[in-house]
Amino acid sequence: MASKRDYYEVLGVPRDASSEDIKKAFRRKAREYHPDVSDSPDAETKFKEVNEAYAVLNDPQKRGMYDRYGHSAVEGTFTGDPFSGFPDLSDIFDVFGGGFRTHTRRAPRRGQDLQYRLTIDFEEAIFGTEREIEYERTVNCPACGGTGAEPGTSPVRCPNCQGSGEVRNVRQTFLGQMVNITTCPQCQGTGEIVNTPCKRCNGRTRIREVHHSVVRVPAGVDDGTQIRISDEGEPGLNGGPPGHLYIVISVQPHEFFRRRGDDLVIKVQVNVAQAALGTSLLIPILTQEGESNTHVELSPGTQSGQVYTVKRKGVPRLRRDGTHAGFGDLQVIVEVDIPKRLTAEQRELFEKLNETLGEATIPPAHERGFFERVMDWLGTDG
């Protein structure tokens, strides 16, 4: 026999949770797993498990016994009186706003959400774009109008449940009459029988159809960003609202640029002389019209790993509501390119330069922190 789960784990609360926290957790879990509400196949089992855990943890005496001795101390809680150990009915009513609601297959239900992965270029992610997408979704059969019956015919009331969609079985127990309500097996809870199925959908009431939609991608999205298009998912059941379509953005990498939050990062290599003397670099920037250039002035004595910032040449900043709030920056990382091979003339010049620069030194540890900070900042993009 499988061992029982820890009651605190069942309700999702810590062992030092207050009684109010336990009650709130029970209400939340009961609402999630109640068989009249949940579509989960194991909803009934989990609902009973939640009730059992709450019955123990909501009773200070039983909770104390459980904390000290575990499940064995409260095994008798659910034997004898069939109503002992279960939560107060007021707690159940609180879960559903004052009472139970009948939930059958005929109740309106929201349609399922759909997901579509859209791959865009790096520049399109920075400045936004519009794309037309094509995807499949379920729609009500246009031939039968979603009834499942061949045009010219109509569904008839199910003779087994008399159109209710439910079958009630009454049996006598020592507690009195017990009524068991199940979904009608003949009409599958619809309350209707289709004698002449629609040829277009084979009586399924729905068909798969290719759908076209225009997606507006706002400027500043990043890889993994989700865009919701309301009511473009699967249609609802029994008059329920349709689901949503979620567009998951996948951004192609750029040849030169990398992105770090709202900043763009580019690495540029300079030679030893340029780093020592300083120079003016022509750096590419991204614009809505394509690539352009800007000048970055390197100071004399620029070190490898030094970062120069070009303001407002990065990514548009997105607020949570999708509007823009300025731009990030362009971070230019300088890398000094040390030549591996020298011509005879270059070697002679470097030897003369070496004579004037002096011997190698080891700086104090606190003076070496700059390069380490730069490498941490670069991370995997370094």
Side-chain angles (χ1 to χ4, degrees):
M1 183 177 179
S3 59
K4 289 185 178 181
R5 291 172 60 200
D6 180 74
Y7 287 150
Y8 291 99
E9 179 185 344
V10 170
L11 294 183
V13 296
R15 301 191 77 86
D16 60 351
S18 66
S19 58
E20 186 61 29
D21 290 338
I22 290 174
K23 181 171 290 189
K24 288 180 180 178
F26 163 71
R27 291 174 178 172
R28 183 174 62 253
K29 293 288 186 179
R31 183 185 299 111
E32 179 180 357
Y33 293 121
H34 195 281
D36 284 344
V37 175
S38 176
D39 294 326
S40 176
D42 59 349
E44 185 174 351
T45 300
K46 288 189 174 181
F47 183 68
K48 291 180 180 178
E49 189 178 40
V50 167
N51 276 317
E52 182 177 326
Y54 180 67
V56 172
L57 299 185
N58 191 50
D59 185 313
Q61 184 176 357
K62 293 175 184 176
R63 181 178 179 181
M65 294 290 290
Y66 175 74
D67 288 342
R68 286 193 292 272
Y69 305 110
H71 287 96
S72 60
V74 293
E75 286 294 333
T77 302
F78 305 98
T79 60
D81 182 357
F83 296 102
S84 68
F86 282 89
D88 191 327
L89 288 178
S90 62
D91 292 327
I92 294 290
F93 288 136
D94 286 342
V95 170
F96 297 98
F100 291 108
R101 295 190 299 266
T102 302
H103 179 82
T104 69
R105 294 194 178 197
R106 303 178 69 183
R109 293 170 61 187
R110 181 174 169 273
Q112 290 187 341
D113 295 331
L114 296 178
Q115 187 181 89
Y116 184 94
R117 183 167 290 277
L118 178 62
T119 300
I120 60 176
D121 294 333
F122 191 86
E123 293 89 340
E124 291 177 318
I126 301 302
F127 300 108
T129 186
E130 279 192 359
R131 288 287 193 87
E132 183 176 351
I133 63 172
E134 179 181 286
Y135 64 99
E136 276 195 353
R137 69 175 183 179
T138 302
V139 297
N140 288 329
C141 175
C144 65
T147 65
E150 181 67 12
T153 68
S154 300
V156 298
R157 188 170 67 172
C158 175
N160 188 46
C161 65
Q162 301 302 313
S164 69
E166 299 175 340
V167 176
R168 298 179 173 231
N169 296 313
V170 181
R171 61 190 180 90
Q172 289 293 135
T173 71
F174 70 95
L175 296 173
Q177 284 189 341
M178 298 290 288
V179 180
N180 183 32
I181 303 175
T182 60
T183 300
C184 176
Q186 190 165 341
C187 66
Q188 304 301 314
T190 65
E192 296 177 330
I193 298 293
V194 175
N195 292 323
T196 308
C198 171
K199 295 177 182 177
R200 176 78 182 275
C201 65
N202 294 320
R204 298 189 183 95
T205 74
R206 298 182 174 194
I207 61 172
R208 298 291 290 175
E209 182 179 83
V210 176
H211 185 70
H212 296 265
S213 183
V214 176
V215 178
R216 179 184 172 276
V217 180
V221 299
D222 204 351
D223 195 75
T225 298
Q226 289 195 23
I227 301 172
R228 189 182 80 175
I229 304 180
S230 300
D231 302 335
E232 289 291 324
E234 299 282 25
L237 296 175
N238 305 316
H244 305 310
L245 172 64
Y246 287 89
I247 308 296
V248 182
I249 301 297
S250 179
V251 181
Q252 295 275 41
H254 193 275
E255 183 179 4
F256 302 117
F257 293 96
R258 293 291 181 269
R259 181 170 173 176
R260 187 175 295 276
D262 295 325
D263 291 343
L264 291 178
V265 181
I266 189 170
K267 184 187 293 184
V268 59
Q269 289 185 331
V270 299
N271 62 45
V272 176
Q274 290 173 314
L277 301 175
T279 188
S280 179
L281 298 178
L282 196 62
I283 302 297
I285 58 174
L286 294 179
T287 68
Q288 287 185 294
E289 292 73 31
E291 281 194 12
S292 183
N293 296 289
T294 188
H295 285 277
V296 174
E297 302 295 327
L298 264 61
S299 304
T302 293
Q303 303 297 304
S304 189
Q306 194 164 334
V307 179
Y308 288 82
T309 299
V310 183
K311 293 291 187 181
R312 294 180 53 80
K313 295 299 181 182
V315 181
R317 291 193 175 100
L318 279 179
R319 295 189 179 96
R320 299 189 69 175
D321 61 1
T323 59
H324 292 155
F327 290 81
D329 301 325
L330 172 63
Q331 306 290 348
V332 181
I333 304 171
V334 177
E335 183 179 84
V336 180
D337 184 22
I338 307 298
K340 296 179 181 177
R341 295 182 180 180
L342 299 173
T343 65
E345 182 183 5
Q346 289 171 336
R347 177 173 290 277
E348 182 180 353
L349 291 172
F350 267 105
E351 286 175 350
K352 291 181 180 179
L353 179 63
N354 182 48
E355 292 175 0
T356 65
L357 294 178
E359 298 295 328
T361 61
I362 300 177
H366 70 273
E367 294 183 9
R368 289 185 287 152
F370 173 77
F371 184 72
E372 294 167 356
R373 290 197 303 273
V374 170
M375 294 306 294
D376 289 341
W377 187 84
L378 292 177
T380 56
D381 291 333

